[in-house]
Amino acid sequence: MSDFSSLKTVEWKNNKVVMIDQTKLPNELVFIEFDNYDQVADAIRNLIVRGAPAIGVSGAFGLALAALQSKSQSKEQLLEELNKAKQILFETRPTAVNLAWGLEKIMEIANSGSSVKEIRENVVQEAKRMAEQDIEINKTMGKNGSFLFDDNDTIMTHCNAGALATVAYGTALGVIRATKESGKNVKVIATETRPIQQGSRLTAFELKHDGFDVSLIPDTAVGYSMANGLVDKVVVGADRVVRTGHVFNKIGTYQVATMAKQHGIPFYVAAPLSTFDMKTDAKDVVIEMRKGSEVTGIGNKKTAPDDIGVINPAFDMTPPELITGIITEKGVVKSPYGESIKKLFEAN
Ligand code: MRU
């Protein structure tokens, strides 16, 4: 089996979309093939594919399938069908801005095409290009971030911002991979990331598989680990970064960042420019609420009484004052974030 840094989480093959079914990991490595956009929408909704960059590219591939599926004879009709598919894909998950970014990019290409044939070809080409670019971006971001980590660091990460959350290589785990590739020895502490355990099922699995020294902790042991000197630095991914530097990421990230601040531990976020949302205010970002059964059980085993009330937000917001730096493919931005993020976008 190849390493997860190069294994494709989502891929375009023979005019179909092929994805690793992440709901089956770590027990089985299963690939699923899709030939219509409704199936891709279901896959995003049901976390067969998850992680902000991976769902951005999946959305783009979904639209490419919609273009191929369409029987439209006119450009206008094809664009109408693509807009409908775009809306269905967009509504699958609300927090990661990469999904909207991927869909918008494809619609721009579609709108600029002059015939049905040209639109179909261009949309497929662009979606494939976005997937390839994702890998290059992660590698550059990884290198940019690797300078922030030292030999023998133990790095904590939360959720899965690895190869499995992107097309390949990863964002936060990409930084960890690049640090190791630069010759530094690093250890990783992965939080299990309840309720659906992207940390233990995906991060611990991916890193162990690729030969990293990784230890798994329950989410509740973050404070213990930091207070006992087990953590040198933290790096996490992001689902959305707004222009003020507020970071939206998997539920629990805010707690990790607060604990890091308490213990004077640098807390970094790794996010490509496609994860930045320069339009929306932090207070207007929609936090996805998921079903209660994710909390009242683990796998198929019930761990709570029937009919209990549940609050199950999938993401939380980490304020900029807790963040040491945001690593991007164009460099690392630091506080004051309002200014540094503005400059980053003006320069790119
Ligand atoms: O609900 P998920 O698994 O899609 O949440 C994923 C995360 O929160 C990741 O940390 C984030 O998308 C960054 S992935 C590079």
Side-chain angles (χ1 to χ4, degrees):
M1 204 167 19
S2 48
D3 69 299
F4 271 82
S5 67
S6 59
L7 206 65
K8 300 265 178 69
T9 299
V10 50
E11 194 173 10
W12 185 267
K13 254 190 191 166
N14 306 322
N15 285 343
K16 292 193 172 116
V17 177
V18 182
M19 287 178 189
I20 294 177
D21 182 350
Q22 299 195 35
T23 64
K24 298 270 193 312
L25 289 172
N27 300 320
E28 289 171 78
L29 179 62
V30 175
F31 291 86
I32 317 185
E33 225 177 58
F34 303 113
D35 58 12
N36 78 66
Y37 76 86
D38 272 321
Q39 296 168 331
V40 172
D42 275 341
I44 298 173
R45 218 175 275 121
N46 299 323
L47 309 184
I48 285 170
V49 65
R50 33 65 52 201
I55 63 176
V57 170
S58 300
F61 279 157
L63 278 184
L65 285 181
L68 292 188
Q69 267 172 266
S70 168
K71 305 258 183 296
S72 310
Q73 299 296 324
S74 74
K75 175 186 163 183
E76 290 68 29
Q77 203 194 335
L78 175 57
L79 288 176
E80 202 177 302
E81 287 182 23
L82 285 180
N83 270 311
K84 184 179 151 233
K86 174 193 156 193
Q87 197 52 29
I88 288 171
L89 289 158
F90 175 75
E91 284 167 7
T92 52
R93 297 196 74 190
T95 308
V97 75
N98 303 60
L99 181 56
W101 168 87
L103 296 171
E104 289 302 339
K105 251 185 138 168
I106 295 295
M107 286 313 296
E108 250 173 56
I109 296 289
N111 284 317
S112 67
S114 55
S115 67
V116 168
K117 183 170 176 285
E118 190 186 311
I119 294 174
R120 282 205 184 106
E121 283 170 4
N122 290 354
V123 155
V124 171
Q125 277 316 313
E126 178 63 13
K128 282 163 73 175
R129 200 183 64 82
M130 284 163 75
E132 287 311 314
Q133 239 185 8
D134 178 77
I135 304 173
E136 287 316 308
I137 286 171
N138 291 338
K139 292 195 167 161
T140 309
M141 184 161 45
K143 219 176 232 170
N144 291 343
S146 66
F147 299 103
L148 301 166
F149 296 85
D150 296 311
D151 197 23
N152 295 321
D153 268 354
T154 298
I155 308 170
M156 179 176 280
T157 190
H158 185 63
C159 190
N160 174 266
L164 287 163
T166 59
V167 175
Y169 202 72
T171 58
L173 297 194
V175 169
I176 295 175
R177 286 182 197 284
T179 304
K180 191 176 176 194
E181 283 162 16
S182 76
K184 293 174 201 159
N185 182 31
V186 287
K187 290 184 182 164
V188 183
I189 292 184
T191 55
E192 62 181 349
T193 320
R194 274 285 289 153
I196 59 160
Q197 281 144 318
Q198 292 94 329
S200 54
R201 289 190 306 106
L202 309 177
T203 296
F205 171 66
E206 178 182 324
L207 290 180
K208 182 167 184 294
H209 184 280
D210 291 351
F212 281 80
D213 180 331
V214 53
S215 301
L216 183 65
I217 58 162
D219 297 323
T220 39
V222 169
Y224 170 93
S225 306
M226 291 185 178
N228 284 282
L230 304 185
V231 182
D232 295 299
K233 285 163 194 136
V234 179
V235 64
V236 298
D239 289 85
R240 189 183 298 237
V241 181
V242 299
R243 62 186 182 282
T244 45
H246 291 79
V247 167
F248 293 81
N249 192 46
K250 178 53 52 187
I251 192 73
T253 303
Y254 175 43
Q255 284 170 197
V256 177
T258 305
M259 273 294 158
K261 184 79 168 179
Q262 166 76 7
H263 294 286
I265 294 169
F267 179 91
Y268 294 104
V269 175
L273 296 196
S274 56
T275 300
F276 284 70
D277 174 357
M278 299 297 280
K279 294 191 204 116
T280 312
D281 288 337
K283 66 174 174 27
D284 297 325
V285 173
V286 178
I287 300 280
E288 175 183 1
M289 301 301 285
R290 296 191 62 86
K291 54 184 192 272
S293 57
E294 290 178 351
V295 181
T296 55
I298 298 182
N300 293 328
K301 192 172 173 354
K302 205 154 71 75
T303 55
D306 289 330
D307 300 325
I308 189 79
V310 173
I311 303 168
N312 187 19
F315 301 96
D316 60 23
M317 183 191 80
T318 299
E321 59 272 21
L322 301 182
I323 301 168
T324 313
I326 305 177
I327 304 158
T328 77
E329 72 272 33
K330 299 291 179 187
V332 180
V333 290
K334 293 199 169 174
S335 176
Y337 288 101
E339 273 172 41
S340 58
I341 292 174
K342 189 164 174 265
K343 274 200 199 132
L344 180 74
F345 273 79
E346 279 167 0
N348 295 287

